[in-house]
Amino acid sequence: MSQPTVAVLRPDDSRIVEAVEYLQTLDVSPIPDPMLAITPTGQVPQHADYCIFTSETGVDLAATAGWKQRGTTVCAVGDQTATALCNRGYSVDIVPSTFTSTGLVDELSTDVEGQIVELARSAHGSEVLVEGLEAAGAIVSEICLYRLERPETAGQSVSLAVDGKLDGILFTSPKTVEHFVQIATERDAVAALQRELEETIVGAIGAPTKRAVDKRGIAVDVMPDTVGFTQLAEITVRRILDTH
């Protein structure tokens, strides 16, 4: 049997390289199709009572810019963000037990009244954190560290999906879903895409990504318990092999 083909839509940095290498260890043929290009804004977190990081990218940009913790309570959404903070020499004070914005709001809601809480993240974060923290009495400040744009080269996975040539596809953020379907829309191929993906094992990382896929009329077959890429890849590939 030939190796299953699995498209992976990570950002066009070391993450797509690592994803391809990992998928090769699972005996599949990876189709790397970066759907995100990271454009730093040059902004840096200021001093606040709390600082919330939601991604490894945000941590790396803040650290590269020389951000100092200086007594700030640091919160991380997700284990990977927490690990990135520790690797950069920051102490992580709070990681919500559920890796979501809602989980973090629940964790902080009794402590942040009158406190300055800074969100250090991309320009595309949901309003859940802002609204929840403000409702808890926090003074919320958003620092937009980077924008997520669509690379000019993106689209190979859309062509293969429409042609029924993908066994699996890995969506790793709501923005990857948005750009993927945007390309299909520009090609007037959304109906064909939805039809062909019924025969493809679709993996989504985390509830926000799953919601983004569902919203566009595509069924999600796999969503792991954690927001780690390796688990997403493993479970998706296992499902592909079980259905072959």
Side-chain angles (χ1 to χ4, degrees), residues 149-229:
E149 294 170 352
R150 193 178 102 197
E152 304 240 330
T153 55
Q156 183 191 6
S157 59
V158 179
S159 302
L160 291 171
V162 168
D163 291 342
K165 292 180 178 172
L166 284 184
D167 296 298
I169 186 163
L170 304 174
F171 289 108
T172 54
S173 73
K175 206 75 182 162
T176 61
V177 180
E178 182 186 318
H179 288 168
F180 180 81
V181 177
Q182 211 175 61
I183 292 167
T185 304
E186 289 163 9
R187 296 177 182 177
D188 198 22
V190 173
L193 180 74
Q194 290 167 330
R195 187 173 60 250
E196 291 299 336
L197 284 182
E198 287 175 15
E199 305 300 318
T200 303
I201 302 299
V202 175
I205 209 165
T209 305
K210 181 183 184 299
R211 279 196 299 274
V213 178
D214 290 340
K215 199 169 101 179
R216 288 159 175 91
I218 298 165
V220 172
D221 301 293
V222 171
M223 189 186 84
D225 298 334
T226 71
V227 291
F229 175 77

Coordinates of all heavy atoms in Angstrom, one line a residue, residues 149-229:
E149 N -0.6 36.5 8.3 CA -1.1 36.8 6.9 C -1.0 35.5 6.1 O -0.3 34.5 6.5 CB -0.2 37.9 6.3 CG -0.5 39.2 7.1 CD 0.4 40.3 6.8 OE1 1.5 40.1 6.1 OE2 0.2 41.5 7.2
R150 N -1.6 35.5 4.9 CA -1.6 34.3 4.1 C -0.4 34.4 3.1 O -0.3 35.3 2.4 CB -2.9 34.3 3.3 CG -3.2 32.9 2.6 CD -4.5 33.0 1.9 NE -4.4 33.1 0.5 CZ -5.4 33.5 -0.3 NH1 -6.5 33.8 0.2 NH2 -5.2 33.6 -1.6
P151 N 0.4 33.3 3.2 CA 1.6 33.3 2.2 C 1.1 33.3 0.8 O 0.1 32.6 0.5 CB 2.3 32.1 2.6 CG 1.8 31.7 3.9 CD 0.4 32.2 4.0
E152 N 1.8 33.9 -0.1 CA 1.5 33.9 -1.6 C 1.5 32.5 -2.1 O 0.8 32.1 -3.1 CB 2.5 34.7 -2.3 CG 2.6 36.2 -1.8 CD 2.2 37.2 -2.9 OE1 2.4 36.9 -4.1 OE2 1.7 38.2 -2.5
T153 N 2.3 31.6 -1.5 CA 2.5 30.2 -2.0 C 1.4 29.3 -1.6 O 1.4 28.1 -2.1 CB 3.9 29.7 -1.5 OG1 3.9 29.8 -0.1 CG2 5.0 30.5 -2.1
A154 N 0.6 29.7 -0.7 CA -0.4 28.7 -0.1 C -1.4 28.2 -1.1 O -1.8 29.0 -2.0 CB -1.2 29.4 1.0
G155 N -1.8 27.0 -1.0 CA -2.9 26.5 -1.9 C -2.8 25.1 -2.4 O -3.8 24.5 -2.9
Q156 N -1.6 24.5 -2.3 CA -1.4 23.1 -2.8 C -2.4 22.1 -2.2 O -3.0 21.3 -2.9 CB 0.0 22.6 -2.6 CG 0.2 21.3 -3.3 CD 1.6 20.6 -2.8 OE1 2.3 21.2 -2.0 NE2 1.9 19.5 -3.4
S157 N -2.6 22.3 -0.9 CA -3.5 21.3 -0.2 C -5.0 21.5 -0.6 O -5.7 20.5 -0.7 CB -3.4 21.6 1.3 OG -3.8 22.9 1.7
V158 N -5.3 22.7 -1.0 CA -6.7 22.9 -1.5 C -6.9 22.2 -2.8 O -7.9 21.5 -3.0 CB -7.0 24.4 -1.7 CG1 -8.4 24.7 -2.2 CG2 -6.8 25.2 -0.4
S159 N -5.9 22.3 -3.7 CA -6.0 21.6 -5.0 C -6.1 20.1 -4.8 O -7.0 19.4 -5.4 CB -4.8 21.9 -5.9 OG -4.6 23.3 -6.1
L160 N -5.3 19.6 -3.9 CA -5.3 18.1 -3.7 C -6.6 17.7 -3.1 O -7.1 16.6 -3.4 CB -4.1 17.7 -2.8 CG -2.7 17.9 -3.5 CD1 -1.6 17.6 -2.5 CD2 -2.5 16.9 -4.7
A161 N -7.1 18.5 -2.1 CA -8.3 18.1 -1.5 C -9.5 18.1 -2.5 O -10.3 17.2 -2.5 CB -8.6 19.1 -0.3
V162 N -9.6 19.1 -3.3 CA -10.6 19.2 -4.3 C -10.6 18.0 -5.3 O -11.6 17.5 -5.8 CB -10.6 20.5 -5.0 CG1 -11.5 20.6 -6.3 CG2 -11.0 21.7 -4.1
D163 N -9.3 17.6 -5.6 CA -9.1 16.4 -6.5 C -9.3 15.1 -5.8 O -9.0 14.0 -6.4 CB -7.7 16.5 -7.2 CG -7.7 17.7 -8.1 OD1 -8.7 18.2 -8.6 OD2 -6.5 18.1 -8.5
G164 N -9.6 15.1 -4.5 CA -9.7 13.8 -3.8 C -8.5 13.1 -3.5 O -8.4 11.9 -3.4
K165 N -7.3 13.8 -3.4 CA -6.0 13.2 -3.3 C -5.4 13.3 -1.9 O -4.2 13.0 -1.8 CB -5.1 13.7 -4.4 CG -5.5 13.4 -5.8 CD -4.6 14.0 -6.8 CE -5.0 13.5 -8.2 NZ -4.2 14.2 -9.3
L166 N -6.2 13.7 -1.0 CA -5.7 13.7 0.4 C -6.3 12.7 1.3 O -7.5 12.5 1.2 CB -6.0 15.1 1.0 CG -5.1 16.3 0.6 CD1 -5.6 17.5 1.5 CD2 -3.7 16.1 0.8
D167 N -5.5 12.0 2.0 CA -6.1 11.0 3.0 C -6.4 11.7 4.3 O -7.2 11.3 5.1 CB -5.1 9.9 3.2 CG -4.8 9.0 2.0 OD1 -5.8 8.5 1.5 OD2 -3.7 9.0 1.5
G168 N -5.6 12.7 4.6 CA -5.8 13.5 5.9 C -5.4 14.9 5.8 O -4.6 15.3 4.9
I169 N -5.9 15.7 6.6 CA -5.5 17.2 6.7 C -5.5 17.6 8.1 O -6.4 17.2 8.9 CB -6.4 18.0 5.8 CG1 -5.9 19.5 5.7 CG2 -7.9 18.0 6.3 CD1 -6.5 20.3 4.6
L170 N -4.5 18.4 8.5 CA -4.3 18.8 9.9 C -4.4 20.3 10.0 O -3.6 21.1 9.4 CB -2.9 18.4 10.4 CG -2.6 16.9 10.3 CD1 -1.1 16.7 10.6 CD2 -3.5 16.1 11.2
F171 N -5.5 20.8 10.6 CA -5.7 22.2 10.8 C -5.2 22.6 12.2 O -5.6 21.9 13.2 CB -7.2 22.5 10.7 CG -7.8 22.5 9.3 CD1 -8.7 21.4 9.0 CD2 -7.5 23.4 8.4 CE1 -9.2 21.3 7.7 CE2 -8.0 23.4 7.1 CZ -8.9 22.3 6.8
T172 N -4.3 23.6 12.3 CA -3.7 23.8 13.6 C -4.1 25.2 14.2 O -3.6 25.5 15.3 CB -2.2 23.7 13.4 OG1 -1.8 24.6 12.3 CG2 -1.7 22.3 13.1
S173 N -5.0 25.9 13.6 CA -5.5 27.2 14.2 C -6.7 27.6 13.4 O -6.8 27.3 12.2 CB -4.4 28.3 14.2 OG -4.2 28.8 12.9
P174 N -7.6 28.4 14.0 CA -8.7 29.0 13.2 C -8.3 29.7 12.0 O -8.9 29.7 10.9 CB -9.4 29.9 14.2 CG -9.1 29.3 15.5 CD -7.7 28.8 15.4
K175 N -7.1 30.4 12.1 CA -6.7 31.2 10.9 C -6.3 30.3 9.7 O -6.4 30.7 8.6 CB -5.5 32.1 11.4 CG -5.3 33.4 10.6 CD -6.4 34.4 10.9 CE -6.3 35.6 10.1 NZ -7.5 36.5 10.0
T176 N -5.7 29.2 10.0 CA -5.3 28.2 8.9 C -6.6 27.8 8.2 O -6.6 27.7 7.0 CB -4.6 27.0 9.4 OG1 -5.4 26.2 10.3 CG2 -3.3 27.3 10.1
V177 N -7.7 27.6 9.0 CA -9.0 27.2 8.4 C -9.5 28.3 7.5 O -9.9 28.1 6.3 CB -10.0 26.8 9.5 CG1 -11.3 26.4 8.8 CG2 -9.5 25.8 10.4
E178 N -9.4 29.5 8.0 CA -10.0 30.7 7.3 C -9.2 30.8 5.9 O -9.8 31.0 4.9 CB -9.8 31.9 8.1 CG -10.3 33.2 7.5 CD -10.0 34.4 8.3 OE1 -10.1 34.4 9.6 OE2 -9.6 35.4 7.7
H179 N -7.9 30.8 6.0 CA -7.1 30.9 4.7 C -7.3 29.8 3.7 O -7.4 30.0 2.5 CB -5.6 31.1 5.1 CG -5.3 32.4 5.7 ND1 -4.1 32.6 6.3 CD2 -6.0 33.5 5.9 CE1 -4.1 33.9 6.8 NE2 -5.2 34.4 6.6
F180 N -7.5 28.6 4.3 CA -7.7 27.4 3.4 C -9.0 27.6 2.6 O -9.1 27.4 1.4 CB -7.7 26.2 4.3 CG -8.0 24.9 3.6 CD1 -6.9 24.2 3.0 CD2 -9.2 24.3 3.7 CE1 -7.2 23.0 2.4 CE2 -9.5 23.1 3.0 CZ -8.4 22.4 2.4
V181 N -10.1 27.9 3.4 CA -11.4 28.1 2.7 C -11.4 29.3 1.8 O -12.1 29.3 0.8 CB -12.5 28.0 3.8 CG1 -13.9 28.3 3.1 CG2 -12.5 26.7 4.5
Q182 N -10.7 30.3 2.2 CA -10.6 31.6 1.4 C -10.1 31.2 0.0 O -10.6 31.7 -1.0 CB -9.6 32.5 2.1 CG -9.9 34.0 1.9 CD -8.9 34.7 2.8 OE1 -7.6 34.6 2.6 NE2 -9.4 35.5 3.8
I183 N -9.0 30.4 0.0 CA -8.4 30.0 -1.3 C -9.5 29.2 -2.1 O -9.6 29.4 -3.3 CB -7.1 29.1 -1.1 CG1 -6.0 30.0 -0.5 CG2 -6.7 28.5 -2.4 CD1 -4.9 29.2 0.1
A184 N -10.2 28.3 -1.5 CA -11.2 27.5 -2.2 C -12.3 28.4 -2.7 O -12.8 28.2 -3.8 CB -11.8 26.5 -1.3
T185 N -12.6 29.4 -2.0 CA -13.7 30.4 -2.4 C -13.2 31.2 -3.6 O -14.0 31.3 -4.6 CB -14.0 31.4 -1.2 OG1 -14.4 30.6 -0.1 CG2 -15.1 32.3 -1.6
E186 N -12.0 31.6 -3.6 CA -11.4 32.3 -4.7 C -11.4 31.5 -6.0 O -11.5 32.0 -7.1 CB -10.0 32.8 -4.4 CG -10.0 34.0 -3.4 CD -8.6 34.2 -2.7 OE1 -7.6 33.5 -3.2 OE2 -8.5 35.0 -1.8
R187 N -11.2 30.2 -5.8 CA -11.2 29.3 -6.9 C -12.6 28.7 -7.3 O -12.7 27.8 -8.1 CB -10.3 28.1 -6.6 CG -8.8 28.5 -6.4 CD -7.9 27.3 -6.1 NE -6.6 27.7 -5.8 CZ -5.6 26.9 -5.4 NH1 -5.9 25.6 -5.2 NH2 -4.4 27.4 -5.2
D188 N -13.6 29.2 -6.6 CA -15.0 28.8 -6.8 C -15.1 27.2 -6.6 O -15.7 26.5 -7.4 CB -15.5 29.2 -8.2 CG -17.0 29.1 -8.3 OD1 -17.7 29.2 -7.2 OD2 -17.5 29.0 -9.4
A189 N -14.5 26.7 -5.5 CA -14.4 25.3 -5.4 C -14.8 24.8 -4.0 O -14.5 23.7 -3.5 CB -12.9 24.8 -5.6
V190 N -15.6 25.7 -3.3 CA -16.0 25.3 -1.9 C -16.9 24.1 -1.9 O -16.7 23.2 -1.0 CB -16.7 26.5 -1.2 CG1 -17.2 26.1 0.2 CG2 -15.7 27.7 -1.1
A191 N -17.9 24.0 -2.8 CA -18.8 22.8 -2.7 C -18.0 21.6 -3.0 O -18.2 20.5 -2.3 CB -19.9 23.0 -3.8
A192 N -17.1 21.6 -4.0 CA -16.3 20.4 -4.3 C -15.4 20.1 -3.1 O -15.2 18.9 -2.8 CB -15.4 20.7 -5.6
L193 N -14.8 21.1 -2.5 CA -14.0 20.9 -1.3 C -14.7 20.2 -0.2 O -14.3 19.1 0.3 CB -13.5 22.2 -0.8 CG -12.5 22.2 0.4 CD1 -11.2 21.7 0.0 CD2 -12.4 23.6 1.0
Q194 N -15.9 20.7 0.1 CA -16.7 20.1 1.2 C -17.1 18.6 0.9 O -17.0 17.7 1.7 CB -18.0 20.9 1.4 CG -17.8 22.3 2.0 CD -19.0 23.2 1.9 OE1 -19.8 23.1 1.0 NE2 -19.1 24.1 2.9
R195 N -17.4 18.4 -0.4 CA -17.8 17.0 -0.8 C -16.6 16.1 -0.7 O -16.7 15.0 -0.1 CB -18.3 17.1 -2.3 CG -18.8 15.7 -2.8 CD -19.5 15.9 -4.2 NE -18.5 16.4 -5.2 CZ -18.5 17.6 -5.7 NH1 -19.4 18.5 -5.4 NH2 -17.6 18.0 -6.6
E196 N -15.4 16.5 -1.2 CA -14.3 15.6 -1.2 C -13.7 15.4 0.2 O -13.2 14.3 0.6 CB -13.2 16.1 -2.1 CG -13.5 16.1 -3.6 CD -13.7 14.6 -4.1 OE1 -13.2 13.7 -3.5 OE2 -14.4 14.5 -5.1
L197 N -13.8 16.4 1.1 CA -13.3 16.2 2.4 C -14.1 15.3 3.3 O -13.7 14.8 4.4 CB -13.2 17.6 3.1 CG -12.0 18.5 2.7 CD1 -11.9 19.8 3.4 CD2 -10.7 17.7 2.8
E198 N -15.3 14.9 2.8 CA -16.1 13.9 3.5 C -15.4 12.5 3.5 O -15.6 11.7 4.4 CB -17.5 13.7 2.9 CG -18.4 14.9 3.1 CD -19.7 14.7 2.4 OE1 -20.0 13.6 1.8 OE2 -20.5 15.8 2.3
E199 N -14.5 12.4 2.5 CA -13.7 11.1 2.4 C -12.3 11.3 3.0 O -11.5 10.3 2.9 CB -13.6 10.7 0.9 CG -14.9 10.5 0.2 CD -15.8 9.5 0.8 OE1 -15.3 8.4 1.2 OE2 -17.1 9.8 1.0
T200 N -12.0 12.4 3.6 CA -10.7 12.7 4.1 C -10.8 12.8 5.6 O -11.8 13.3 6.1 CB -10.2 14.1 3.5 OG1 -10.2 14.0 2.1 CG2 -8.8 14.4 4.0
I201 N -9.8 12.3 6.3 CA -9.8 12.4 7.8 C -9.3 13.8 8.1 O -8.2 14.2 7.8 CB -8.9 11.3 8.4 CG1 -9.3 9.9 8.0 CG2 -8.9 11.5 9.9 CD1 -10.7 9.5 8.5
V202 N -10.2 14.5 8.8 CA -9.9 15.9 9.1 C -9.6 16.0 10.6 O -10.4 15.7 11.4 CB -11.1 16.8 8.8 CG1 -10.9 18.3 9.2 CG2 -11.4 16.8 7.3
G203 N -8.4 16.5 10.9 CA -7.9 16.7 12.3 C -7.9 18.2 12.6 O -7.4 19.0 11.8
A204 N -8.3 18.5 13.8 CA -8.3 19.9 14.3 C -7.7 20.0 15.7 O -8.0 19.2 16.5 CB -9.7 20.5 14.3
I205 N -6.9 21.0 15.9 CA -6.2 21.2 17.2 C -7.0 22.1 18.0 O -7.2 23.3 17.7 CB -4.8 21.7 16.9 CG1 -3.8 21.3 18.0 CG2 -4.7 23.2 16.7 CD1 -2.4 21.5 17.6
G206 N -7.7 21.6 19.1 CA -8.4 22.5 20.0 C -9.8 22.9 19.5 O -10.1 22.9 18.3
A207 N -10.6 23.3 20.5 CA -12.0 23.6 20.2 C -12.2 24.8 19.3 O -13.1 24.8 18.4 CB -12.8 23.9 21.5
P208 N -11.4 25.9 19.4 CA -11.6 27.1 18.5 C -11.4 26.7 17.0 O -12.1 27.1 16.1 CB -10.6 28.1 19.0 CG -10.4 27.8 20.4 CD -10.4 26.3 20.5
T209 N -10.4 25.8 16.8 CA -10.1 25.4 15.4 C -11.2 24.5 14.9 O -11.6 24.6 13.8 CB -8.7 24.6 15.4 OG1 -7.7 25.5 15.9 CG2 -8.4 24.3 13.9
K210 N -11.7 23.6 15.8 CA -12.8 22.7 15.4 C -14.0 23.6 15.0 O -14.7 23.3 14.0 CB -13.1 21.7 16.5 CG -14.3 20.8 16.2 CD -14.7 19.9 17.3 CE -15.7 18.9 16.9 NZ -17.0 19.5 16.5
R211 N -14.3 24.6 15.8 CA -15.5 25.4 15.5 C -15.3 26.1 14.2 O -16.3 26.2 13.4 CB -15.6 26.5 16.6 CG -16.3 26.0 17.9 CD -16.8 27.1 18.8 NE -15.7 28.0 19.2 CZ -15.0 27.7 20.3 NH1 -15.3 26.7 21.1 NH2 -14.1 28.5 20.7
A212 N -14.1 26.6 13.9 CA -13.8 27.2 12.6 C -14.1 26.3 11.4 O -14.6 26.7 10.4 CB -12.4 27.8 12.6
V213 N -13.7 25.0 11.6 CA -13.9 24.0 10.5 C -15.4 23.7 10.4 O -16.0 23.7 9.3 CB -13.1 22.7 10.9 CG1 -13.4 21.6 9.8 CG2 -11.6 23.0 10.9
D214 N -16.1 23.5 11.5 CA -17.5 23.2 11.5 C -18.3 24.3 10.8 O -19.2 24.0 10.1 CB -18.0 23.0 13.0 CG -17.5 21.8 13.7 OD1 -17.1 20.8 13.0 OD2 -17.6 21.8 14.9
K215 N -17.9 25.5 11.2 CA -18.6 26.7 10.6 C -18.6 26.7 9.1 O -19.5 27.3 8.5 CB -18.0 28.0 11.2 CG -18.8 29.2 11.1 CD -18.2 30.3 12.0 CE -17.4 31.3 11.0 NZ -16.8 32.4 11.8
R216 N -17.6 26.1 8.5 CA -17.5 26.1 7.1 C -18.0 24.9 6.4 O -17.6 24.6 5.3 CB -16.0 26.4 6.7 CG -15.7 27.9 7.0 CD -14.2 28.2 7.2 NE -14.0 29.6 7.4 CZ -13.9 30.2 8.6 NH1 -14.1 29.5 9.7 NH2 -13.7 31.5 8.6
G217 N -18.8 24.1 7.1 CA -19.5 23.0 6.5 C -18.6 21.8 6.3 O -18.9 20.9 5.4
I218 N -17.5 21.7 7.1 CA -16.6 20.5 7.0 C -16.6 19.8 8.3 O -16.6 20.4 9.4 CB -15.1 21.0 6.7 CG1 -15.1 21.7 5.3 CG2 -14.2 19.8 6.7 CD1 -13.9 22.6 5.1
A219 N -16.7 18.5 8.2 CA -16.8 17.6 9.5 C -15.4 17.4 10.0 O -14.5 17.0 9.3 CB -17.5 16.3 9.2
V220 N -15.3 17.5 11.3 CA -14.0 17.2 12.0 C -14.1 15.7 12.5 O -15.0 15.4 13.2 CB -13.7 18.1 13.2 CG1 -12.5 17.7 14.0 CG2 -13.5 19.6 12.6
D221 N -13.1 15.0 12.1 CA -13.0 13.5 12.5 C -12.2 13.3 13.8 O -12.4 12.4 14.6 CB -12.4 12.7 11.4 CG -13.2 12.8 10.1 OD1 -14.4 12.3 10.1 OD2 -12.7 13.4 9.1
V222 N -11.2 14.2 14.0 CA -10.2 14.0 15.1 C -10.0 15.3 15.8 O -9.7 16.3 15.1 CB -8.9 13.5 14.6 CG1 -7.8 13.5 15.6 CG2 -9.1 12.1 14.0
M223 N -10.2 15.4 17.1 CA -9.7 16.5 17.9 C -9.1 15.9 19.2 O -9.8 15.4 20.0 CB -10.8 17.5 18.3 CG -10.3 18.7 18.9 SD -11.6 19.9 19.5 CE -12.0 19.2 21.1
P224 N -7.8 16.0 19.4 CA -7.1 15.5 20.6 C -7.5 16.2 21.8 O -8.0 17.3 21.8 CB -5.6 15.6 20.2 CG -5.5 16.7 19.2 CD -6.8 16.7 18.5
D225 N -7.2 15.6 23.0 CA -7.4 16.2 24.3 C -6.6 17.4 24.6 O -6.9 18.2 25.3 CB -7.2 15.1 25.4 CG -8.2 14.0 25.2 OD1 -9.3 14.2 24.7 OD2 -7.8 12.8 25.7
T226 N -5.3 17.4 24.0 CA -4.4 18.5 24.3 C -4.2 19.2 23.0 O -4.6 18.8 21.9 CB -3.0 18.0 24.8 OG1 -2.4 17.3 23.6 CG2 -3.2 17.0 25.9
V227 N -3.5 20.4 23.1 CA -3.3 21.2 21.9 C -1.9 21.0 21.4 O -1.3 21.9 20.8 CB -3.6 22.7 22.1 CG1 -5.1 23.0 22.4 CG2 -2.8 23.3 23.3
G228 N -1.4 19.8 21.5 CA 0.0 19.5 21.0 C -0.1 19.0 19.6 O -1.0 18.2 19.3
F229 N 0.8 19.4 18.7 CA 0.7 18.9 17.3 C 1.0 17.4 17.2 O 0.3 16.8 16.4 CB 1.8 19.7 16.5 CG 1.8 19.2 15.0 CD1 0.8 19.5 14.1 CD2 2.8 18.3 14.6 CE1 0.9 19.0 12.8 CE2 2.9 17.8 13.4 CZ 1.9 18.1 12.5

